[in-house]
Amino acid sequence: AIKLDVGQSHGVAMRMTVASPRGLVGQVVRTTEHWSDVLLITDPSSAVAGRIDRSREAGMVFGSPSGALVMRYIPQDRPDTPPNVQVGDLVYTSGQSERFAPRLLIGQVDQVRQSDFETFQEAVIRPSVDFNALETVLIITEWLPPEEAETAPAR
């Protein structure tokens, strides 16, 4: 986790998305009047709905103790079709959950793990954010999930 020097008095609330210019950082999990704690996407308790940019396949991206990310529940490749995931693919937030806005860069696929006996395959993802050199972040305060955006009045 990281601690930010902004809190409720600055309009920060629980579950707000935190990003950097390089991509997704995490989500606000605790706020006080002047401070906020952010759960990083690399934390083992973190889960983010992701989408592989090239194939549009979806899966869940989980943190790990090593700091790498693992995208699980990617459907196995079908014969005579391009692979669902391959090394070098970019992974973004899918926008399918109410937790994160769509199209925030999560990272790039470093390794694909497949098994003939499994329904799904998984990918090891290198985060786009260098968490060891993180200095500035952006808190997304006004994003509405798709179903709320449809009923919100125009601004």
Side-chain angles (χ1 to χ4, degrees):
I2 59 172
K3 188 172 283 296
L4 303 179
D5 62 352
V6 292
Q8 296 165 355
S9 64
H10 303 94
V12 177
M14 295 280 293
R15 298 180 53 121
M16 287 184 170
T17 299
V18 179
S20 82
R22 296 191 64 177
L24 182 64
V25 171
Q27 186 174 48
V28 174
V29 292
R30 188 171 82 89
T31 62
T32 66
E33 190 68 20
H34 301 289
W35 298 93
S36 300
D37 291 331
V38 177
L39 178 70
L40 301 176
I41 61 170
T42 54
D43 188 281
S45 64
S46 174
V48 179
R51 183 176 309 280
I52 299 162
D53 192 44
R54 179 188 52 79
S55 68
R56 309 299 297 152
E57 289 293 341
M60 289 299 296
V61 179
F62 296 92
S64 71
S66 69
L69 301 172
V70 178
M71 186 172 185
R72 296 189 176 114
Y73 311 118
I74 305 166
Q76 288 285 0
D77 298 338
R78 294 173 295 284
D80 302 322
T81 63
N84 290 333
V85 60
Q86 60 190 20
V87 172
D89 281 345
L90 296 177
V91 178
Y92 291 86
T93 54
S94 70
Q96 292 179 327
S97 75
E98 294 183 12
R99 292 180 51 209
F100 298 101
R103 300 286 304 155
L104 294 171
L105 182 61
I106 296 172
Q108 187 171 28
V109 174
D110 268 349
Q111 178 186 6
V112 177
R113 299 178 187 156
Q114 295 177 316
S115 169
D116 293 337
F117 305 104
E118 300 292 332
T119 305
F120 299 102
Q121 58 187 319
E122 62 183 34
V124 177
I125 299 169
R126 183 180 65 249
S128 61
V129 173
D130 181 354
F131 290 95
N132 294 319
L134 192 59
E135 293 183 14
T136 303
V137 297
L138 166 75
I139 301 173
I140 299 173
T141 60
E142 291 292 324
W143 177 73
L144 292 175
E147 56 277 355
E148 290 181 35
E150 291 172 4
T151 60
R155 293 185 187 196

